[in-house]
Amino acid sequence: SPNNKRDRKTPNIFDKSYHRLLRTAWLDGPVALGSSMPYLKALPIVFAVALLALNIAGKCGELFAPSLVNEHPLILILLNANNVHLALTATSIPEFQYYIVGGLRRFVEDSVYFSFGRVFGELAIAWARTSLPGAVKVFAKFETWLTRAAPLVLSVYPSGPLWVLAGATKVPVKVFCGVTLIGIGFRLWLIRSIGGVLSSQVNTLLELVKEYQHMLMVPTTIIAILGLIPAVLPIIKLPQGLLKKT
């Protein structure tokens, strides 16, 4: 019938009803993909695209780090705000831009993993066990403690697998936002402070990177490619895998 055909259409992610459904799923916890089919069927694709974008951006940051760290340090931490990149750019990026760009990059990534766990619950945990490095050990260590002392655990060991677990175990959104923002702010302040104390050493290292950046591109390219393939393949398979389990 015409109504059934309309139900089978691919949902429009710009539709307001889709946004309301996503908001409800995020706030209220794990959802059953079997209900409200047209809209919920698209959620695995939405998260797969978000995870792909974050992972590819991160690997591009690693790949072009020897060039970007001196010429475009702000772009470097926008692509990949890991501790090494933040330390190397601590003396070359204005303070306001450093905190805003570095903080937002980290918060967006943490939010995607947390939301993924929040929406898909046990399905997200099952996917993370086989797809995220170190997830099995993280779950074994912190699953019990997360329900007892979530702020402490999330502050001490922030990571992708732990954010998935936090979302899936319904850690309150306020706790997630508070701990994440405070933790990110503290780590950025600490890294920048250490970078300021060791500014002469950092600048010397940056000069060496600038001098040998073409040679350094070889190992960074190899590392980025080798890391990208195992990171991307599980994400590409994510939508199909989640829908099969529902």
Side-chain angles (χ1 to χ4, degrees), residues 41-54:
K41 285 282 188 180
L43 288 179
I45 300 172
V46 171
F47 281 106
V49 170
L51 290 170
L52 276 175
L54 288 169

Side-chain angles (χ1 to χ4, degrees), residues 6 96 230:
R6 278 198 296 271
F96 179 77

Side-chain angles (χ1 to χ4, degrees), residues 47-65:
F47 281 106
V49 170
L51 290 170
L52 276 175
L54 288 169
N55 277 272
I56 291 173
K59 294 307 176 184
C60 286
E62 292 178 6
L63 173 61
F64 297 109

Side-chain angles (χ1 to χ4, degrees), residues 188-236:
L188 289 177
W189 170 82
L190 183 63
I191 293 171
R192 189 174 176 89
S193 299
I194 294 173
V197 172
L198 302 175
S199 58
S200 59
Q201 290 90 335
V202 171
N203 290 333
T204 300
L205 182 58
L206 289 175
E207 287 298 321
L208 288 172
V209 171
K210 187 175 183 179
E211 184 176 354
Y212 297 105
Q213 64 174 302
H214 298 296
M215 292 176 60
L216 290 170
M217 286 293 290
V218 175
T220 57
T221 300
I222 295 172
I223 292 170
I225 292 174
L226 291 178
L228 182 63
I229 295 172
V232 164
L233 286 180
I235 298 173
I236 293 174

Side-chain angles (χ1 to χ4, degrees), residues 25-204:
W26 194 71
L27 290 175
D28 296 341
V31 298
L33 291 183
S35 60
S36 302
M37 271 293 184
Y39 293 106
L40 288 174
K41 285 282 188 180
L43 288 179
I45 300 172
V46 171
F47 281 106
V49 170
L51 290 170
L52 276 175
L54 288 169
N55 277 272
I56 291 173
K59 294 307 176 184
C60 286
E62 292 178 6
L63 173 61
F64 297 109
S67 157
L68 293 175
V69 72
N70 281 294
E71 298 173 12
H72 303 286
L74 199 61
I75 294 177
L76 175 60
I77 65 169
L78 179 62
L79 291 172
N80 189 333
N82 65 26
N83 292 341
V84 174
H85 294 165
L86 288 170
L88 290 175
T89 58
T91 59
S92 57
I93 298 178
E95 187 173 8
F96 179 77
Q97 295 179 3
Y98 182 84
Y99 283 108
I100 292 297
V101 175
L104 277 177
R105 176 62 175 85
R106 286 202 165 192
F107 183 72
V108 167
E109 183 164 354
D110 294 345
S111 298
V112 169
Y113 282 108
F114 178 82
S115 301
F116 177 58
R118 188 85 179 174
V119 172
F120 292 107
E122 290 297 326
L123 294 178
I125 291 177
W127 177 83
R129 284 185 190 278
T130 58
S131 304
L132 296 181
V136 175
K137 291 182 179 179
V138 169
F139 293 163
K141 283 182 181 179
F142 298 111
E143 189 165 8
T144 302
W145 282 101
L146 199 58
T147 56
R148 298 177 182 175
L152 177 62
V153 174
L154 296 174
S155 300
V156 172
Y157 196 84
S159 65
L162 194 60
W163 292 128
V164 172
L165 183 62
T169 54
K170 287 193 175 184
V171 168
V173 175
K174 290 181 180 179
V175 172
F176 162 75
C177 291
V179 170
T180 304
L181 290 172
I182 292 171
I184 289 172
F186 175 75
R187 283 189 292 277
L188 289 177
W189 170 82
L190 183 63
I191 293 171
R192 189 174 176 89
S193 299
I194 294 173
V197 172
L198 302 175
S199 58
S200 59
Q201 290 90 335
V202 171
N203 290 333
T204 300

